[in-house]
Amino acid sequence: MLITFSDFTSIPVLWLQIAIAAIWVLLILLIAWLVNRFADEPEIVRKIVHIGTGNVILIAWWLDIPANVGITASILASAITLLSYRLPILPGINSVGRQSLGTFFYSVSFGILVACFWYLQQPQYAALGILIMTWGDGLAALIGQRFGTHKYKIFGTQKSWEGSLTMMLVSYFISSLILVGTQGNSWQIWPISLMVAFIATALEAVSFLGIDNLTVPLGSAALAFYLSQLILN
């Protein structure tokens, strides 16, 4: 049977929004599954999911998906990730017994940021925090593991200066891009973005048990919002 455009217009807008976001997440999970199936690169699999699913915040922002949808999705994802630490629900993403709650904190941070900044009608700050976590932290880990020859330790956790520099640069780029896109190109944007990038990098450096997936997005978003309200308005 031929499907026409009118068939899609009859679907409620909310369900179309949810479907688009769900399709994106499922696509990322499919790519991760294929990589996990045919390549022995567990860290690459985790970063595909870490970075790829984070971009759903842009879909939620652009489509103006209601806050209650994002919060509900966060609660469900958090419950699934907690179970996955004991059961092989997400093979290749979590290892059973893995000493990190990063995936859980990742899901929780979505719900908190959506609840806060959708309510304030400032969704760009939720996107800023999530994207700094996903792209900044994700690329920092990959660069640090592959090219990080200059190591340092904080609270018993080993990091690399190469990874931290990557975190700083990516965070600065994301913060600048979002703030310029929503606030306009003023000189105050650049020092605000630099401060946000510095704090995000510091939070990532002192993390343990994956808590940076909570502290980095919340800290970055809160600081960007506070400084923007203080300086730009």
Side-chain angles (χ1 to χ4, degrees):
M1 180 183 295
L2 180 64
I3 299 176
T4 64
F5 180 75
S6 61
D7 294 323
F8 290 101
T9 59
S10 64
I11 302 174
V13 173
L14 176 60
W15 288 108
L16 281 175
Q17 293 171 328
I18 294 173
I20 292 171
I23 289 170
W24 173 262
V25 172
L26 290 174
L27 177 62
I28 295 300
L29 293 177
L30 175 61
I31 294 171
W33 180 82
L34 290 172
V35 173
N36 185 58
R37 176 71 173 78
F38 297 105
D40 186 21
E41 292 286 350
E43 189 59 28
I44 295 295
V45 171
R46 282 193 286 270
K47 294 313 173 185
I48 288 173
V49 176
H50 182 90
I51 295 173
T53 57
N55 292 305
V56 78
I57 193 68
L58 292 175
I59 296 174
W61 176 17
W62 291 338
L63 297 181
D64 195 24
I65 293 177
N68 60 341
V69 174
I71 295 169
T72 301
S74 172
I75 292 171
L76 291 175
S78 299
I80 291 171
T81 54
L82 278 179
L83 286 174
S84 73
Y85 289 107
R86 294 298 178 185
L87 302 172
I89 299 174
L90 301 173
I93 300 173
N94 283 331
S95 298
V96 176
R98 187 169 176 241
Q99 296 301 308
S100 171
L101 291 173
T103 311
F104 171 70
F105 290 135
Y106 183 102
S107 303
V108 170
S109 65
F110 266 84
I112 294 175
L113 288 177
V114 167
C116 291
F117 291 107
W118 254 247
Y119 173 76
L120 294 173
Q121 297 184 341
Q122 300 285 339
Q124 67 268 27
Y125 296 104
L128 182 148
I130 293 298
L131 293 179
I132 284 179
M133 172 185 65
T134 54
W135 284 97
D137 184 40
L139 291 177
L142 289 176
I143 296 298
Q145 290 166 8
R146 296 299 175 96
F147 306 105
T149 56
H150 300 85
K151 307 291 186 180
Y152 67 93
K153 278 190 175 182
I154 296 182
F155 300 140
T157 302
Q158 183 169 275
K159 303 285 183 177
S160 73
W161 288 109
E162 290 84 356
S164 293
L165 178 60
T166 301
M167 178 72 182
M168 184 85 171
L169 293 175
V170 174
S171 299
Y172 181 74
F173 174 77
I174 289 171
S175 181
S176 301
L177 185 65
I178 290 178
L179 292 179
V180 167
T182 56
Q183 304 283 354
N185 187 10
S186 62
W187 69 267
Q188 294 97 329
I189 293 293
W190 312 111
I192 290 174
S193 298
L194 184 61
M195 181 62 70
V196 169
F198 177 80
I199 294 300
T201 303
L203 290 171
E204 193 277 334
V206 301
S207 66
F208 56 92
L209 296 178
I211 200 171
D212 54 320
N213 281 349
L214 187 65
T215 58
V216 168
L218 269 59
S220 301
L223 181 62
F225 175 74
Y226 174 75
L227 292 178
S228 296
Q229 297 300 307
L230 182 67
I231 298 173
L232 297 176
N233 295 328

